[in-house]
Amino acid sequence: MEKIITLIEKELIPAFTKAGYDAKYAKVTVSNRPDLCEFQCNGAMAAAKAYKKAPIMIANDVIAGVQESSMFEMAEAVNPGFINLKISGTYLAEYMNQMHGDENLSVEKAAVPKKIIIDYGGANVAKPLHVGHLRSAIIGESLKRMGRFMGHEVTGDVHLGDWGLQMGLIITELRKRQPELPYFNDNYTGEYPQEAPFTISDLEEIYPFASKRSKEDDAYKEEALEATYQLQQGKPGYRALWQHIMSVSKTDLKKNYGRLNVEFDLWKGESDAQPYIPDMVRRMKDEGYAHEDQGALVVDVKEESDTKEIPPCLIVKSDGASLYATTDLATIVERMKLYQPDEILYVTDKRQEMHFIQVFRCSKKTGLVKEDTKLQWLGFGTMNGKDGKPFKTRDGGVMRLENLIGDIEEEMYHKIMDNHEIDPKEARQTAKIVGLSAIKYGDLSNQASKDYVFDIDRFTSFEGNTGPYILYTIVRIKSILSKYRAAGKDPEEGKMQSAANASEKALMLELSRFNAVMENAFDEAAPHKICSYIYDLANVFNRFYHETKILSEEDAQQQASWTALLLLTQKVLEICIDVLGFEAPERM
Ligand code: ARG
């Protein structure tokens, strides 16, 4: 459906042109003075210069041209030349009805769907998921859902860190603890066991142990580096162990991401890109893009317009090892080959900015992607504790994701139990759902690039700009509608009529912005815009709710109109929280 702003502009255009002014001045915005009007056009101000006329004269000319229009309840020219507009209640109600009848509740799907890969999550295998990975998962998941809602073909790839030194460390430590395992016997020719010789809890203990030891013991570190090298060269026993580490870790990761409502289509990782490296490097050399610099192989990526120093992209280290950039470049080669995306979007900590500048420039320059393939990076800020420092556990350790989720659920559970009488089992279930909204909304409501303070008290509050407040609003609507349905009536059938009061009109106006908000939030990769929209929407809804006696209304048509409006509000809120990646309970 066309956006309401566009429809208003279309109504104004003939008024501009008939009076002899260019159509381009018929630009409409939502009013920044809601006390005076709902929409405004400042085109007369802009046109004044071109036509050497007082803006108020132009505004008056335009107003004269829309006097007959049934779209406006008010259209007036105000000094020094503003055009203030109020939309007619009937027109707005009609827009609401059309919106309600529309498959996507007024949002227009992309005319040309794009193939988009979103690279997010980025967990490192064998290392426990910690809060640092939380933001990537939450933001990336939301962008994926937004893209799909807009009609794009979006694939989410977790892009695991599964090829680094951590693998060598684990292998080395296992070798010390269980040297008798067949993986360490070079003469072993049989099949390796199906079952892993460790559990996820073992891995969680082994990795930090080995990592610590390697920092204190050089010989140990050498061994781990050697094991990493042999793994990467394909030593069979180590490959088999690596498979075990992968499968045990993936099972655990899936469980954890699952608790966050985060789901990946692809479980690929750095290891998958390795086969593409040799050819890619050779080509970069042969075609003259890469050159040697102090024994290393680099591609220059600086550009004349740079205002800061962009160092060359390091492709191969002087000892022959490949790097983070090498793997990311090869992953681009792999993705272009297997999926031919129009766009790849990466969601990582903002400290990786330089890395992505280099990788993107290098890909374009060396032709790994097409001229028009869009490579986009969204860098997010740090999640801090109340002390303004990166979020930690009470004793200063790195907070595990599981524990963080557990803490929030516990807090939510107590709030729900305190609120009213409820079966403890149901309260537990509800606490899970509401707790997730607290975490996700708490994160997503901030502009991604900014740091934010993770404040459990605030995030779990039922009041203010929080996930639980949004859910509370949805639950409130559900409860009214279920009473309405219990009386044998169907809110789906009601037609909205012209708003009966100001708060109802405000609610309709807010709903009419939905298509524009969703489109813009996706274009700008900005889930926080959806959060701020639903916060406004929930507020105007609650104002309307407090001022309107819906269930006791005697005029059946009026009641049907209001319940239809409630249903539409519920649907819009639910789509929004769905793209944010959480859901509402039945009661809370
Ligand atoms: N594993 C990386 C980390 O923990 C994140 C990976 C992000 N994606 C990428 N293609 N580089 O920092």
Side-chain angles (χ1 to χ4, degrees):
M1 261 170 79
E2 274 187 294
K3 297 180 192 86
I4 199 146
I5 295 266
T6 315
L7 293 167
I8 300 174
E9 285 174 349
K10 284 192 172 167
E11 191 77 359
L12 289 186
I13 286 174
F16 270 88
T17 53
K18 262 199 218 115
Y21 308 110
D22 197 295
K24 74 172 183 213
Y25 296 109
K27 274 265 156 288
V28 173
T29 55
V30 171
S31 161
N32 52 20
R33 287 288 305 272
D35 51 325
L36 299 178
C37 59
E38 294 156 0
F39 298 93
Q40 66 190 61
C41 168
N42 298 346
M45 309 288 289
K49 231 184 174 169
Y51 296 95
K52 301 200 171 55
K53 250 192 190 175
I56 190 70
M57 289 172 71
I58 301 175
N60 275 322
D61 289 348
V62 174
I63 291 301
V66 293
Q67 283 316 310
E68 301 297 293
S69 166
S70 59
M71 186 186 271
F72 306 112
E73 178 184 291
M74 179 202 91
E76 49 180 40
V78 190
N79 269 320
F82 298 116
I83 297 168
N84 288 355
L85 303 165
K86 278 190 186 169
I87 200 121
S88 107
T90 323
Y91 186 89
L92 186 58
E94 193 33 48
Y95 192 83
M96 291 294 106
N97 285 319
Q98 274 186 33
M99 182 173 170
H100 203 181
D102 186 89
E103 212 187 341
N104 299 306
L105 298 183
S106 79
V107 177
E108 272 184 39
K109 300 246 167 193
V112 189
K114 285 193 284 186
K115 222 186 219 190
I116 305 172
I117 293 181
I118 305 190
D119 177 317
Y120 69 110
N124 299 316
V125 168
K127 303 187 195 174
L129 263 191
H130 58 77
V131 294
H133 292 109
L134 184 70
R135 297 211 71 192
S136 179
I138 291 177
I139 298 168
E141 179 71 17
S142 171
L143 295 171
K144 181 187 80 181
R145 290 168 179 234
M146 277 157 76
R148 289 195 178 148
F149 185 70
M150 293 307 297
H152 299 291
E153 190 191 315
V154 191
T155 305
D157 182 5
V158 65
H159 196 75
L160 296 174
D162 61 359
W163 204 235
L165 177 62
Q166 81 263 36
M167 297 297 183
L169 284 166
I170 292 170
I171 293 173
T172 301
E173 185 54 30
L174 274 172
R175 187 181 189 124
K176 304 243 176 267
R177 296 186 188 186
Q178 303 180 64
E180 70 287 355
L181 290 175
Y183 310 95
F184 304 116
N185 177 354
D186 288 344
N187 302 320
Y188 186 76
T189 51
E191 291 266 325
Y192 292 108
Q194 294 282 318
E195 192 84 3
F198 42 73
T199 64
I200 186 68
S201 326
D202 296 335
L203 282 184
E204 285 173 355
E205 178 266 322
I206 293 174
Y207 171 72
F209 179 90
S211 166
K212 184 158 176 274
R213 177 142 181 217
S214 75
K215 284 178 192 127
E216 295 153 358
D217 180 341
D218 285 345
Y220 188 90
K221 171 128 195 226
E222 263 322 301
E223 256 182 83
L225 283 168
E226 178 61 21
T228 310
Y229 178 77
Q230 289 185 347
L231 165 69
Q232 297 182 348
Q233 294 305 307
K235 182 177 166 118
Y238 289 5
R239 283 298 290 202
L241 264 182
W242 178 81
Q243 290 290 0
H244 287 313
I245 301 175
M246 289 298 283
S247 86
V248 169
S249 294
K250 272 193 203 173
T251 308
D252 185 59
L253 282 170
K254 281 185 185 164
K255 193 183 85 201
N256 276 298
Y257 280 128
R259 282 183 83 178
L260 283 174
N261 250 357
V262 169
E263 229 175 77
F264 298 95
D265 307 288
L266 297 177
W267 279 82
K268 297 199 141 238
E270 297 182 349
S271 62
D272 292 288
Q274 302 311 311
Y276 296 89
I277 293 178
D279 261 1
M280 177 185 83
V281 171
R282 192 171 321 122
R283 211 179 54 78
M284 285 182 180
K285 269 201 260 186
D286 290 353
E287 293 177 10
Y289 294 116
H291 64 88
E292 270 194 35
D293 185 5
Q294 298 165 42
L297 197 66
V298 304
V299 173
D300 287 325
V301 292
K302 61 173 187 285
E303 287 168 9
E304 247 168 59
S305 55
D306 289 343
T307 49
K308 63 176 174 189
E309 159 109 20
I310 309 290
C313 188
L314 203 48
I315 309 290
V316 184
K317 276 209 297 199
S318 51
D319 65 2
S322 51
L323 299 107
Y324 189 38
T326 325
T327 300
D328 263 330
L329 289 164
T331 304
I332 290 177
V333 173
E334 181 194 12
R335 287 176 176 157
M336 291 309 286
K337 179 165 179 238
L338 302 183
Y339 314 107
Q340 299 92 36
D342 301 301
E343 186 176 330
I344 309 176
L345 168 60
Y346 299 79
V347 186
T348 77
D349 190 300
K350 71 180 171 199
R351 284 168 292 194
Q352 297 195 18
E353 181 177 20
M354 184 57 83
H355 167 76
F356 284 100
I357 293 178
Q358 292 172 314
V359 166
F360 291 176
R361 286 189 181 182
C362 184
S363 308
K364 290 264 167 186
K365 179 172 177 180
T366 62
L368 301 188
V369 293
K370 290 190 280 186
E371 202 68 49
D372 58 355
T373 309
K374 193 168 157 199
L375 297 173
Q376 211 194 337
W377 169 75
L378 181 65
F380 52 80
T382 308
M383 177 173 139
N384 288 324
K386 278 190 182 168
D387 57 359
K389 302 205 186 93
F391 195 86
K392 293 265 160 67
T393 53
R394 263 181 221 111
D395 55 21
V398 177
M399 177 64 117
R400 303 255 321 250
L401 194 59
E402 276 180 83
N403 301 342
L404 177 88
I405 296 176
D407 285 358
I408 289 261
E409 282 179 9
E410 198 56 29
E411 180 72 24
M412 247 16 278
Y413 173 73
H414 291 297
K415 284 205 169 142
I416 292 169
M417 290 295 279
D418 288 350
N419 247 6
H420 50 88
E421 253 173 60
I422 181 170
D423 166 37
K425 234 165 108 199
E426 184 184 341
R428 280 274 166 218
Q429 208 42 43
T430 307
K432 264 195 196 328
I433 301 176
V434 184
L436 190 61
S437 82
I439 298 181
K440 288 194 155 185
Y441 191 93
D443 186 301
L444 293 170
S445 55
N446 301 284
Q447 194 178 326
S449 61
K450 300 225 167 92
D451 296 349
Y452 75 95
V453 173
F454 191 87
D455 180 342
I456 296 196
D457 288 339
R458 191 168 78 72
F459 290 2
T460 56
S461 169
F462 285 3
E463 277 153 42
N465 191 6
T466 69
Y469 170 66
I470 305 292
L471 297 193
Y472 197 78
T473 306
I474 296 176
V475 166
R476 169 173 275 168
I477 299 177
K478 283 190 185 179
S479 139
I480 305 170
L481 291 181
S482 82
K483 287 183 188 135
Y484 186 70
R485 287 193 184 96
K489 294 178 269 191
D490 182 1
E492 206 59 77
E493 275 162 17
K495 282 274 164 272
M496 286 164 265
Q497 51 193 42
S498 184
N501 54 49
S503 62
E504 184 180 4
K505 193 172 189 195
L507 175 55
M508 289 184 172
L509 283 168
E510 201 58 49
L511 286 167
S512 75
R513 293 175 52 217
F514 176 52
N515 47 15
V517 169
M518 186 60 97
E519 197 176 301
N520 174 257
F522 178 68
D523 285 347
E524 298 187 2
H528 73 279
K529 294 199 167 179
I530 294 180
C531 294
S532 89
Y533 173 67
I534 54 176
Y535 180 51
D536 289 346
L537 183 58
N539 281 335
V540 288
F541 167 77
N542 284 312
R543 207 168 309 134
F544 164 69
Y545 167 80
H546 287 300
E547 287 175 11
T548 318
K549 298 233 168 333
I550 300 168
L551 288 170
S552 58
E553 173 60 40
E554 279 168 14
D555 177 344
Q557 220 173 331
Q558 177 63 77
Q559 193 184 40
S561 161
W562 282 336
T563 47
L565 180 60
L566 256 60
L567 186 59
L568 178 59
T569 307
Q570 179 190 339
K571 288 179 184 172
V572 169
L573 286 171
E574 282 181 334
I575 288 183
C576 289
I577 63 170
D578 183 61
V579 300
L580 295 174
F582 55 91
E583 58 193 23
E586 280 315 303
R587 310 189 292 164
M588 63 190 266

